Amino acid sequence: MTDETRIAVPATAKAGTHCDLAGYEALYAQSMENPDGFWRDQIGRLDWVKTPTVMGNWSYDPVDIKWFEDGVLNASTQCLDRHLATRGDQTAIIWEADSPDAPSRTLTYRELHGEVCRMANVLKGMGVTKGDRVTIYMPMIPEAATAMLACARVGAVHSVVFGGFSPDAISGRIQDADCRFVITADAGARGGRPVPLKVNVDKALESCPGVTGVLVVRHDGKPVAMADGRDVWWHEARETVPAHCAPEPMGAEDPLFILYTSGSTGKPKGVLHTTGGYMLWANLTFHYVFDYREGEIHWCTADVGWVTGHSYIVYGPLSQGATTLMFEGIPNYPDVSRFWQVIEKHKVNIFYTAPTALRALMREGEAPVKKHDRSSLRLLGSVGEPINPEAWLWYWRTVGDEKLPIIDTWWQTETGGVLISSLPGAIDMKPGSATKPFFGVCPELVDAEGQFIEGPASGNLVLTRSWPGQMRTVYGDHERFVQTYFSTYKGMYFTGDGARRDEDGYWWITGRVDDVINVSGHRLGTAEIESALVAHPDVAEAAVVAVPHDIKGQGIYAYVTPNMGVEATEDMVKELKFCVREHISPIATPDFIHLTPALPKTRSGKIMRRILRKIAENDTSNLGDISTLADPSVVQALIEGRKNR
Ligand code: ATP
Ligand code: MG
C-alpha cells in the first residue's frame, strides 16, 4: 500500500457531521495555540457540581499531571441523572446474549439510573466508602456497567478484571490494588460454554484474606457456593434498598478507576485514571471521533474488561446519552456471521471492533457478511493493533460497501481515549494510517537520543503535551509510572510505539518500538512486513520478530497462519518470501518462515510478540508471565514446530 492511496471522506460521512475539515483545522489550531481557551469552551460538556477554574496544570519534568483540579463532579451523574429529564425513557443499554436464541434485554436511562442507585446503596451497606477499591469480575451483561457506575456513584475506585482471566490473574490484581470488595456473577457464557466466574473468584479469594464482601449477580442461574457473612446475592439485596442515592461529590483529580493493561509486553500495570479529565476525554472523543448523532445505536465489541469497553461501551456513550450495545458472545458462535446478524437485528449504526476479529472473519470469505442487511451502519471503527491495509480494504469493501467511513483509532489504556484517528466527516482516509491527532494531542517523532525528527520520517512516537484523559500514575508505584513513560526521553511521554509521518502529515503506527527490526542497519517495522505477508491471498495472519543474526545483526523470523484449508508447503514459504521482497524490499525478506495454525494471543486478542521472540531465539527456559494468554497450548505447539526446523 502506498501513501498515495487516499480515500476521500464519503458523502455519507459529510452529511450531518459535527466537524468538517475546516472545523477540524480550526479547533485543532485553537487547542494548540490557546489550550486554556479550548478547554474552557469544552468543560460545559459535563455537569459539574463546581465548575473548574483551572484547566491543565501539568509538567512532564518533574512528572505532575492535573486537569480541572478545583472542579467537583460525579461520573455516574454524567451518564445517568442529567439524561432523566430529556431521555429517561430512551434505551441506554441493549444487551445481546451469547446465544442468538436467548432473548435480548434493554434498559432505559431511567431504569439504569434506578439500578445503579440500588447497587450503590447495597455497596454502602456492605461497607464500601469513598476511595475504596472494588474489583469487578463480570460477564458482558448490563450489570457490569451498573457495577462500574455504582462504584462511581459512591466514590469507590473500580478495577475491572476481564471475565476470561484465571483465578491467579484475579488474585494478583486484587492484591495489587488492595481491594476489599468484589462484584461478580454466578457464571457467564461465551461461545456456548459456561464461564465459572464465581468458582474462579472463590479460588482467587483463597489468597486474598482482605476481601470482606462479594456481591454476586445471578445470571446463569445454576447453583453456586455462597460464603456466609461474605457473599451477597444482588437480586436479594436490591429489594431491600431505595432506588435513589445521592452521588458522592468527587474532586476532578479523585481516582475513578484502575485498569490493568493487557500485558502484551510484561507484568500488567495498574493504570490509574481520575474523574474529571477522563470523563471529559471519553465524552469529547465519543462525540467527535464517532461523530455520534442523536438516537444512534453504538456497538463496541470490546469487553468491559479492557479500556476500550470502559471508554466506548460505558463512559463515552452513556455520558452522551447514546444507546450502547453490550454483547456477551463471540464473533464465531454459533457461526461466523454472528456480528453481522447482531447488526441486522438491532439496526446498529456505529460498529467498533479490533483487527484481530476482522482478520479472523476475513478468512471466512464474504458470504457470511453479505447475507445480512447492514444498511443501518453509518460508521466502522478499528482499535487495538495496527490494521493491515489488506484487512482495512476488506472492511471498507465487504462490510462497508465502499460507502462508510472507517476510523482507525490509535490509543492506549494509558491515554484514556482516542488520540490519533480520522474524524469521519473531516479527514480523508488512507488504509493502514491512523491519520491525524485529536484536539489537544501533540505527537512527535524522536530518534534514539530523543532528538526531534522533522518532516516525513519514521521514529519513536512521543507526546509532548498532556491531555485530560492521560493516566495519572501506576497504582501504588508512582516511580514505575515515571520510569516507564517519562525517563526514556526527558520531558516527553513515550508511548512505546514506533510511527511514521508521511508527506501529508498522516501518522502510521508501525508497531511497538521493541518490535522494530534492525537488519544490516536498516530499521524495519514489523507491522509493515506483516502487512506484506497478509496481502498474500492464502494468509490469514502473520507476526514478525527479530532473531540474532551473525552478519546482519538481526534477522527476520516470520510466523504465518495460512487460511482455513490451505496446506502449509515449502512452495508457500517461497512465495511468501517473494511477496515481501516485491512489496517492501529484498532487505525485508524473512530469513525464516514458520507456518503455524495459531499464534499466541492475549485475552484481548493481541499477538504476544515477546513470546514469539523467545521461541524464535530458541530460548524457551523463561517465557515470563503467560497468565494473560488466551490459549497457552499454542505456545507448546510453536516450540515443537521450532524444534523441527
Ligand atoms: P501492555 O501495555 O501491558 O503491554 P498493551 O499495550 O497491549 O499491553 P493496550 O493499552 O490495550 O495494552 O494497547 C495499546 C497498544 O495497542 C498501543 O500502544 C499500540 O501498540 C496498540 N494499538 C492500539 N490501537 C492501535 C491502532 N489503531 N493502530 C496501531 N496500534 C494500535
Ligand atoms: Mg502498552
Side-chain angles (χ1 to χ4, degrees):
M1 192 60 48
T2 63
D3 294 355
E4 288 75 52
T5 312
R6 189 172 175 133
I7 297 178
V9 173
T12 55
K14 280 196 177 138
T17 183
H18 293 307
C19 192
D20 60 10
L21 183 58
Y24 166 74
E25 283 171 349
L27 279 172
Y28 186 76
Q30 189 202 3
S31 75
M32 288 294 113
E33 286 150 24
N34 177 13
D36 225 58
F38 177 85
W39 291 110
R40 270 179 218 287
D41 290 348
Q42 300 300 333
I43 49 175
R45 303 188 62 83
L46 301 181
D47 277 4
W48 301 86
V49 176
K50 179 176 177 290
T51 306
T53 62
V54 190
M55 302 295 107
N57 179 13
W58 57 271
S59 150
Y60 280 175
D61 184 21
V63 181
D64 184 17
I65 302 160
K66 294 193 202 85
W67 283 87
F68 319 123
E69 57 193 281
D70 61 343
V72 176
L73 76 169
N74 182 285
S76 80
T77 311
Q78 316 305 317
C79 298
L80 302 166
D81 305 61
R82 66 163 165 170
H83 303 311
L84 294 182
T86 50
R87 52 169 69 93
D89 297 321
Q90 184 202 304
T91 302
I93 299 179
I94 300 174
W95 175 72
E96 174 68 23
D98 180 50
S99 159
D101 304 326
S104 32
R105 271 169 71 192
T106 59
L107 271 97
T108 65
Y109 272 96
R110 202 180 316 286
E111 288 166 338
L112 183 61
H113 176 263
E115 288 302 287
V116 168
C117 287
R118 284 180 196 274
M119 198 179 282
N121 286 326
V122 169
L123 291 176
K124 278 189 190 171
M126 292 169 71
V128 177
T129 57
K130 181 173 174 174
D132 278 335
R133 276 83 49 212
V134 178
T135 293
I136 298 177
Y137 180 68
M138 289 282 266
M140 280 290 287
I141 56 176
E143 286 78 3
T146 304
M148 292 163 74
L149 294 169
C151 287
R153 192 95 180 160
V154 302
V157 182
H158 59 70
S159 165
V160 183
V161 175
F162 171 55
F165 275 141
S166 65
D168 276 355
I170 309 167
S171 61
R173 286 161 175 74
I174 289 177
Q175 288 161 3
D176 188 78
D178 205 2
C179 290
R180 287 195 299 130
F181 305 93
V182 177
I183 306 175
T184 188
D186 47 5
R190 271 172 80 81
R193 276 197 289 260
V195 185
L197 298 169
K198 180 62 167 59
V199 170
N200 290 347
V201 166
D202 287 342
K203 217 173 275 167
L205 294 190
E206 285 169 14
S207 51
C208 303
V211 172
T212 57
V214 180
L215 184 62
V216 187
V217 174
R218 191 168 65 183
H219 174 50
D220 167 271
K222 302 214 174 64
V224 289
M226 295 290 281
D228 247 4
R230 187 194 74 184
D231 300 351
V232 176
W233 278 114
W234 160 237
H235 65 275
E236 289 172 2
R238 76 180 282 291
E239 301 300 326
T240 65
V241 291
H244 52 83
C245 171
E248 187 70 31
M250 303 296 284
E253 282 300 328
D254 284 339
L256 176 61
F257 65 83
I258 299 166
L259 184 60
Y260 291 84
T261 54
S262 65
S264 328
T265 51
K267 182 176 179 284
K269 298 174 272 288
V271 168
L272 185 122
H273 282 288
T274 56
T275 309
Y278 171 81
M279 282 307 297
L280 188 56
W281 197 255
N283 178 281
L284 185 71
T285 51
F286 183 69
H287 177 78
Y288 281 108
V289 177
F290 295 87
D291 207 5
Y292 170 74
R293 323 282 171 85
E294 195 63 36
E296 283 190 329
I297 297 177
H298 171 80
W299 183 18
C300 164
T301 69
D303 192 279
V304 286
W306 312 123
V307 74
T308 309
H310 281 56
S311 302
Y312 301 114
I313 294 177
V314 180
Y315 290 112
L318 295 179
S319 69
Q320 189 79 16
T323 298
T324 184
L325 191 146
M326 289 179 85
F327 175 43
E328 191 177 4
I330 56 175
N332 55 358
Y333 174 81
D335 62 48
V336 293
S337 65
R338 183 69 165 128
F339 271 1
W340 324 113
Q341 184 248 324
V342 172
I343 288 171
E344 176 172 353
K345 176 175 175 188
H346 294 291
K347 305 207 166 29
V348 170
N349 305 111
I350 306 176
F351 179 64
Y352 189 37
T353 195
T356 180
L358 293 173
R359 287 190 300 257
L361 295 172
M362 204 167 107
R363 281 174 100 170
E364 312 287 343
E366 41 173 72
V369 187
K370 297 290 184 193
K371 76 175 192 209
H372 287 286
D373 178 10
R374 287 158 287 112
S375 58
S376 58
L377 288 173
R378 181 185 58 78
L379 175 78
L380 304 174
S382 169
V383 62
E385 286 180 289
I387 176 164
N388 326 87
E390 198 66 19
W392 196 103
L393 288 169
W394 183 82
Y395 207 15
W396 164 252
R397 291 185 186 129
T398 306
V399 181
D401 297 323
E402 304 192 16
K403 287 193 307 243
L404 304 181
I406 294 181
I407 49 166
D408 173 9
T409 60
W410 175 82
W411 59 296
Q412 311 177 301
T413 310
E414 294 88 336
T415 71
V418 175
L419 295 198
I420 303 182
S421 167
S422 67
L423 299 193
I427 298 168
D428 288 352
M429 301 172 278
K430 294 188 183 189
S433 168
T435 79
K436 299 273 184 163
F438 191 71
F439 310 133
V441 175
C442 194
E444 295 280 358
L445 294 174
V446 295
D447 63 19
E449 277 72 52
Q451 297 300 314
F452 288 117
I453 310 172
E454 305 299 333
S458 297
N460 303 317
L461 179 63
V462 297
L463 301 162
T464 56
R465 299 192 188 191
S466 181
W467 63 99
Q470 180 166 30
M471 74 183 281
R472 301 298 194 259
T473 191
V474 170
Y475 185 78
D477 195 351
H478 193 68
E479 193 43 38
R480 187 171 177 206
F481 177 58
V482 175
Q483 279 305 319
T484 309
Y485 304 103
F486 302 94
S487 69
T488 319
Y489 307 112
K490 267 252 176 289
M492 303 172 211
Y493 171 85
F494 178 41
T495 63
D497 287 342
R500 182 164 65 83
R501 184 176 46 213
D502 73 14
E503 359 354 271
D504 299 323
Y506 274 53
W507 292 88
W508 302 70
I509 308 300
T510 50
R512 297 168 201 273
V513 170
D514 298 350
D515 298 332
V516 170
I517 304 183
N518 196 328
V519 181
S520 310
H522 301 275
R523 289 167 63 80
L524 300 165
T526 50
E528 207 173 358
I529 306 173
E530 287 159 13
S531 289
L533 292 164
V534 175
H536 189 285
D538 289 340
V539 170
E541 199 154 38
V544 167
V545 297
V547 279
H549 190 286
D550 290 346
I551 299 153
K552 298 190 274 189
Q554 285 189 317
I556 299 171
Y557 192 109
Y559 296 86
V560 175
T561 307
N563 275 332
M564 292 295 179
V566 172
E567 211 188 321
T569 61
E570 271 313 303
D571 279 349
M572 183 169 182
V573 168
K574 274 194 206 124
E575 252 180 66
L576 288 173
K577 288 190 177 177
F578 180 75
C579 259
V580 177
R581 196 172 308 143
E582 290 293 291
H583 266 77
I584 309 174
S585 117
I587 299 159
T589 311
D591 298 280
F592 308 94
I593 291 189
H594 183 154
L595 298 173
T596 168
L599 295 168
K601 293 193 182 167
T602 62
R603 292 288 188 157
S604 59
K606 296 183 189 200
I607 299 166
M608 249 213 225
R609 290 188 173 70
R610 174 170 62 78
I611 289 177
L612 291 175
R613 221 176 286 134
K614 289 261 185 191
I615 295 174
E617 288 168 7
N618 245 333
D619 168 20
T620 50
S621 53
N622 176 21
L623 289 176
D625 181 5
I626 58 168
S627 68
T628 60
L629 270 185
D631 177 6
S633 73
V634 171
V635 173
Q636 206 45 48
L638 282 168
I639 293 173
E640 292 302 315
R642 176 76 175 94
K643 274 196 207 129
N644 300 335
R645 300 198 62 81

